[in-house]
Amino acid sequence: MNKELMADLAWGVGILALALGASLARKLGFINDDTVTRMVIGTIGLMIAYNGNRLPKAVVPSVCAQRARRVAGWAMALSGLVFAGLFAFAPIPVAAMVGSGAVMAGVAVALGYSLWLHAKAKAV
């Protein structure tokens, strides 16, 4: 199996293990519902940031693709950190709304920059 697939599987198994462990801790009375939500969803934000950090490191054939991956990586890494930070410290309704908006903004920046580069390359 390749390295990227193993990392993705490790994140998935880790998040599932965290969710199951946190649910068990909640049932035993060690933590409350909000803490379980914050832990699991905050970890998803960290996974988005990790994948955003990994994105520019992939080898691609063209300079435009490298530029697009670099901007997309920064946008996703920052939006993932904002998402995780909000779920760590903000009230959950605010974290859900603003955090989701941050991730959508990261995707919009990545897509917009890619489309702009494509249009610029076609014009030349």
Side-chain angles (χ1 to χ4, degrees), residues 19-123:
L20 291 172
S23 293
L24 178 64
R26 180 181 47 84
K27 284 182 183 175
L28 294 174
F30 295 125
I31 57 177
N32 62 14
D33 291 337
D34 284 352
T35 306
V36 173
T37 302
R38 290 177 187 280
M39 286 171 57
V40 174
I41 297 180
T43 304
I44 292 170
L46 293 176
M47 181 190 66
I48 294 169
Y50 169 79
N51 283 321
N53 184 43
R54 192 174 74 173
L55 189 63
K57 295 174 179 133
V59 178
V60 291
S62 73
V63 174
C64 285
Q66 287 174 347
R67 288 180 186 160
R69 280 184 174 266
R70 192 176 314 117
V71 170
W74 272 102
M76 295 311 298
L78 292 175
S79 67
L81 289 174
V82 168
F83 185 86
L86 284 167
F87 269 96
F89 300 111
I92 289 182
V94 172
M97 184 67 82
V98 178
S100 298
V103 172
M104 285 189 285
V107 170
V109 165
L111 183 61
Y113 187 74
S114 297
L115 291 174
W116 179 75
L117 278 177
H118 182 69
K120 185 178 165 184
K122 276 191 149 188

Side-chain angles (χ1 to χ4, degrees), residues 1-35:
M1 246 185 239
N2 70 15
K3 198 173 182 180
E4 289 89 20
L5 182 60
M6 289 301 292
D8 292 338
L9 286 173
W11 271 102
V13 169
I15 289 172
L16 285 174
L18 176 68
L20 291 172
S23 293
L24 178 64
R26 180 181 47 84
K27 284 182 183 175
L28 294 174
F30 295 125
I31 57 177
N32 62 14
D33 291 337
D34 284 352
T35 306

